[in-house]
Amino acid sequence: MGKYILKRLLLAIPTFIIITAVVYFLSSKAPGNPVDLIKAAGNITPEMEAQLRHQYGLDQPVIIRYLKWLGGIFTGNMGLSSRTNQPVADLIAQRIGPTLLLTVTSLIISLLIAIPLGVMAAVKPYSVWDHLSSFFSFLGAAAPNFFVALILVYIFAIKLGWLPSMGMTTGGASGPLDVIRHLVLPVIVMVIQLLGTFVKQTRGSMLDVINEEYVKTARAKGLKENKVVIRHILRNALIPIVSTVGMTIPLLVGGATVTEQVFAWPGMGSLLILSISQRDYNTIMGITIVIAIAVLVSSLLIDLLYAYLDPRIRLD
C-alpha cells in the first residue's frame, strides 16, 4: 500500500506540470492582457506601456514566463494579482473557505438524501420511492442552476422575505446563524444539481448487483432483508457511486461558478470569473493549481476506497 501511494505521488508531479502547462499556454493565447485593459481605460505613453509589459513579463517568450512561474510555485510563490496587486495565495486563501463551506455542505446533504433514496428505489421498484428518484434525476439533469437559483430568490427572498438573496453575511453581522441563513438558498441549488446524478447512480448500481448469486445465497441463509441490502448489496454497489463522487469533487473545489455568481457568494468560482474578465492570469493559474491538486488527491483517495470496499482489489 505504501509503495502504491508513493508511486502515485511521484506520478502526480509530471501530471501536475502537464495540466498547468496546458492551461498556461492556452491562457497566453487568449485575446487581451492586463496592459491592454490599462490602455483601454486611459491614455498611457509608449514608455509606460513598455514598463508595464516588462513588469508583467509580457516582453519575454511564453516558455520563459511559464518556467519562471513554475519555479515560483515550487517555492510557494504564486505571483501577484494584476487586478489587486495582492499575492495570489492570499486571494485564494480568502476565497477557499467560503467555497468549501458551500460545496462540502451541499455534497454531504446530497449524499445523505441520494443514497437512501436510490437504495429504496432499487429495492422497491415502481413504488413512491422509485418515482421520487426519477423526479430528482430529471430535475437535476434538466433544470439549469441559474434558473433554479432565480426562482428560489424570487420566492424566498423577494416575495416571502424569509432568506437573504446574496452574500455570506448581512452588513456587520457575521455570526453562525447569519451565515447559515445566507447558505440555505445556494445549498438548495447545488443539492438539486448533485442529487439527480447521485440518485440515478445509486439506483443503477444497486440494480446491477441486486440479483447476484451471493445476494440470493445471503437471503437463503435467512439473513434479515436490511442486512442483505446494507452488507451485501449496497457495499458492492458503492464503487461506482464513489467514482461519481470523486469526479464531482474537483468541480466543487473549483467553485460552483454559476451558483456563486447568482448569490454573490465570495468563493473561488466568483473569483475565477472576475479574474478571467480582468485578464488576471496569475490568479487564474492559482485557481488552476488548486483544482489540479483536488483532481490528483481525489483520484488517489478513490483508488484507496476501492481497495477498502472490495477486498479483491489489490493496489500493490
Side-chain angles (χ1 to χ4, degrees):
M1 182 72 74
K3 291 181 180 179
Y4 173 80
I5 295 176
L6 179 61
K7 181 181 178 180
R8 287 295 300 270
L9 291 176
L10 292 176
L11 288 174
I13 296 175
T15 305
F16 174 81
I17 292 175
I18 291 172
I19 293 173
T20 56
V22 170
V23 176
Y24 194 95
F25 284 102
L26 288 177
S27 299
S28 68
K29 299 299 182 182
N33 55 58
V35 177
D36 291 337
L37 292 178
I38 294 173
K39 287 175 62 179
N43 295 325
I44 60 173
T45 64
E47 292 77 12
M48 293 174 62
E49 180 179 352
Q51 183 180 356
L52 288 172
R53 289 190 177 277
H54 178 73
Q55 177 182 336
Y56 292 120
L58 297 175
D59 56 345
Q60 298 176 337
V62 63
I63 183 64
I64 301 299
R65 302 205 306 267
Y66 172 72
L67 291 176
K68 287 183 177 180
W69 174 85
L70 187 63
I73 292 301
F74 286 112
T75 60
N77 179 18
M78 294 184 181
L80 297 176
S81 166
S82 60
R83 182 175 58 87
T84 64
N85 208 35
Q86 292 178 272
V88 171
D90 291 348
L91 291 177
I92 293 177
Q94 295 167 8
R95 298 291 191 118
I96 196 169
T99 287
L100 290 178
L101 176 62
L102 172 61
T103 55
V104 172
T105 302
S106 303
L107 181 62
I108 292 173
I109 293 175
S110 300
L111 292 175
L112 289 176
I113 297 174
I115 292 179
L117 183 57
V119 169
M120 293 298 294
V123 173
K124 298 181 178 181
Y126 307 110
S127 65
V128 64
W129 302 107
D130 198 9
H131 294 311
L132 273 176
S133 71
S134 299
F135 169 76
F136 282 118
S137 297
F138 284 121
L139 181 63
N145 269 15
F146 71 91
F147 182 71
V148 176
L150 292 176
I151 290 178
L152 292 178
V153 167
Y154 178 76
I155 295 174
F156 294 102
I158 297 176
K159 284 295 184 181
L160 299 177
W162 291 352
L163 296 168
S165 63
M166 59 189 302
M168 189 173 173
T169 57
T170 303
S174 58
L177 291 178
D178 186 53
V179 174
I180 290 173
R181 290 183 69 249
H182 285 79
L183 191 62
V184 171
L185 290 183
V187 163
I188 291 175
V189 172
M190 292 195 62
V191 165
I192 291 174
Q193 178 191 14
L194 296 172
L195 203 56
T197 301
F198 292 159
V199 169
K200 183 179 180 181
Q201 184 64 68
T202 303
R203 181 182 182 277
S205 299
M206 291 284 294
L207 291 175
D208 286 341
V209 301
I210 202 169
N211 292 317
E212 293 289 339
E213 292 301 323
Y214 60 82
V215 176
K216 296 177 181 178
T217 302
R219 287 192 173 117
K221 289 180 178 180
L223 290 180
K224 293 182 178 180
E225 185 63 19
N226 60 342
K227 291 185 177 180
V228 173
V229 171
I230 294 174
R231 294 183 181 180
H232 295 275
I233 302 176
L234 179 58
R235 179 164 182 172
N236 288 280
L238 278 177
I239 289 182
I241 301 170
V242 168
S243 298
T244 304
V245 174
M247 290 186 293
T248 304
I249 288 175
L251 299 176
L252 296 178
V253 173
T257 307
V258 174
T259 305
E260 289 187 0
Q261 282 292 102
V262 173
F263 291 100
W265 189 262
M268 291 179 58
S270 55
L271 176 63
L272 178 61
I273 294 297
L274 182 61
S275 301
I276 292 173
S277 66
Q278 297 293 320
R279 307 297 191 270
D280 188 354
Y281 296 126
N282 281 343
T283 304
I284 296 172
M285 291 304 303
I287 296 174
T288 301
I289 291 173
V290 176
I291 298 174
I293 292 174
V295 170
L296 298 173
V297 172
S298 62
S299 176
L300 176 59
L301 291 177
I302 288 171
D303 288 346
L304 297 178
L305 280 173
Y306 282 171
Y308 172 76
L309 293 171
D310 190 347
R312 295 171 298 178
I313 297 175
R314 291 291 179 265
L315 298 177
D316 291 336

